[in-house]
Amino acid sequence: MATGRSHRPATRGRGIPEATVARLPLYLRALTALSERSVPTVSSEELAAAAGVNSAKLRKDFSYLGSYGTRGVGYDVEYLVYQISRELGLTQDWPVVIVGIGNLGAALANYGGFASRGFRVAALLDADASLAGRLVAGLPVRHIDELESIVEDNQVSIGVIATPAGAAQEVTDRLVAAGVTSILNFAPTVLSVPDGVDVRKVDLSIELQILAFHEQRKAGEDRQEPDGDVPAVMPA
């Protein structure tokens, strides 16, 4: 669902390709499920199937982490959870601000997965003065005028934008000027950011349009003749 645009090189600090970085959360999710079931080890084939990738790609990805598993045994689940969490920066707490506390912003604020994955919602911001002080997910909504001081006081480096499209670029500019270097954008617009700032975009409407395309194609296939040939058009 998320699409990314990075203004950094195609490889990260330890030479890990961006495509591999994008798959690490998938591996971590699958490994966490195994850990919760007290599964001690997992083969590359089993983990690849759980993560939705092929095993050769998984082994290549893990080679960038320096993890090669043990022949006949597989990978140590707990160690891989730690190793991937460390590589993703999840062994420390990341303060996050959410800007735009409408229906979507409020839903994001109430999402319990942030804290369990190393992200702490430091503040909720909105331009609507009537929302100031209202509690959402246990946090008071604060006015957008406080953005800069909140970012500085909480050492925020990640911002989540859930504003209308028309306000998103201005919010982005203020976040970047305040020191935020990573943005998760839910607004239906393309953001312009300087080098050194990473943007990940989540556009639900685009994803639904892609699904609509596939549904239309499947419906067209269902209307074909049983042998797969499209019926000839009869002359008038």
Side-chain angles (χ1 to χ4, degrees), residues 63-113:
S63 72
Y64 292 112
L65 307 181
S67 184
Y68 297 94
T70 303
R71 184 177 295 277
V73 176
Y75 294 93
D76 183 292
V77 169
E78 291 300 328
Y79 180 69
L80 263 186
V81 167
Y82 164 74
Q83 197 173 25
I84 295 175
S85 296
R86 181 187 61 187
E87 200 64 47
L88 289 172
L90 303 182
T91 54
Q92 68 183 80
D93 197 34
W94 292 100
V96 174
V97 294
I98 300 176
V99 184
I101 312 302
N103 292 333
L104 177 57
L108 292 170
N110 279 285
Y111 174 55

Side-chain angles (χ1 to χ4, degrees), residues 5 25 38 57 73 75 113-114 116 118 129 135 151 156 160 166 169 198 219:
R5 179 165 62 101
S38 301
K57 185 174 292 184
V73 176
Y75 294 93
F114 284 134
S116 64
L135 287 179
V151 169
V156 174
V160 179
Q169 185 61 57
D198 288 316

Side-chain angles (χ1 to χ4, degrees), residues 171-185:
V171 169
T172 297
D173 294 342
R174 291 183 61 180
L175 286 170
V176 171
V180 169
T181 53
S182 292
I183 293 172
L184 181 60
N185 177 34

Side-chain angles (χ1 to χ4, degrees), residues 19-221:
T20 295
V21 173
R23 286 188 290 270
L24 292 182
L26 303 179
Y27 302 140
L28 183 59
R29 181 173 60 188
L31 286 162
T32 300
L34 292 171
S35 176
E36 290 172 349
R37 288 161 36 206
S38 301
V39 176
T41 60
V42 62
S43 70
S44 59
E45 289 78 11
E46 292 169 329
L47 183 54
V53 303
N54 66 63
S55 58
K57 185 174 292 184
L58 177 144
R59 288 191 292 270
K60 180 67 173 178
D61 288 342
F62 285 179
S63 72
Y64 292 112
L65 307 181
S67 184
Y68 297 94
T70 303
R71 184 177 295 277
V73 176
Y75 294 93
D76 183 292
V77 169
E78 291 300 328
Y79 180 69
L80 263 186
V81 167
Y82 164 74
Q83 197 173 25
I84 295 175
S85 296
R86 181 187 61 187
E87 200 64 47
L88 289 172
L90 303 182
T91 54
Q92 68 183 80
D93 197 34
W94 292 100
V96 174
V97 294
I98 300 176
V99 184
I101 312 302
N103 292 333
L104 177 57
L108 292 170
N110 279 285
Y111 174 55
F114 284 134
S116 64
R117 288 166 175 79
F119 302 96
R120 175 177 61 84
V121 178
L124 308 175
L125 299 168
D126 200 280
D128 186 350
S130 68
L131 292 179
R134 180 181 300 179
L135 287 179
V136 175
L139 289 173
V141 177
R142 301 168 70 172
H143 194 267
I144 192 70
D145 287 348
E146 298 184 65
L147 184 151
E148 287 78 9
S149 61
I150 287 172
V151 169
E152 181 179 1
D153 293 346
N154 292 276
Q155 298 184 318
V156 174
S157 59
I158 300 176
V160 179
I161 296 179
T163 67
Q169 185 61 57
E170 181 182 353
V171 169
T172 297
D173 294 342
R174 291 183 61 180
L175 286 170
V176 171
V180 169
T181 53
S182 292
I183 293 172
L184 181 60
N185 177 34
F186 284 88
T189 188
V190 176
L191 300 177
S192 176
V193 296
D195 289 345
V197 176
D198 288 316
V199 176
R200 299 289 296 180
K201 179 170 176 55
V202 181
D203 194 321
L204 302 179
S205 65
I206 286 179
E207 298 302 322
L208 285 171
Q209 289 172 58
I210 293 171
L211 289 175
F213 165 80
H214 290 297
E215 285 301 310
Q216 178 177 257
R217 187 180 63 179
K218 285 183 285 188
E221 291 172 352

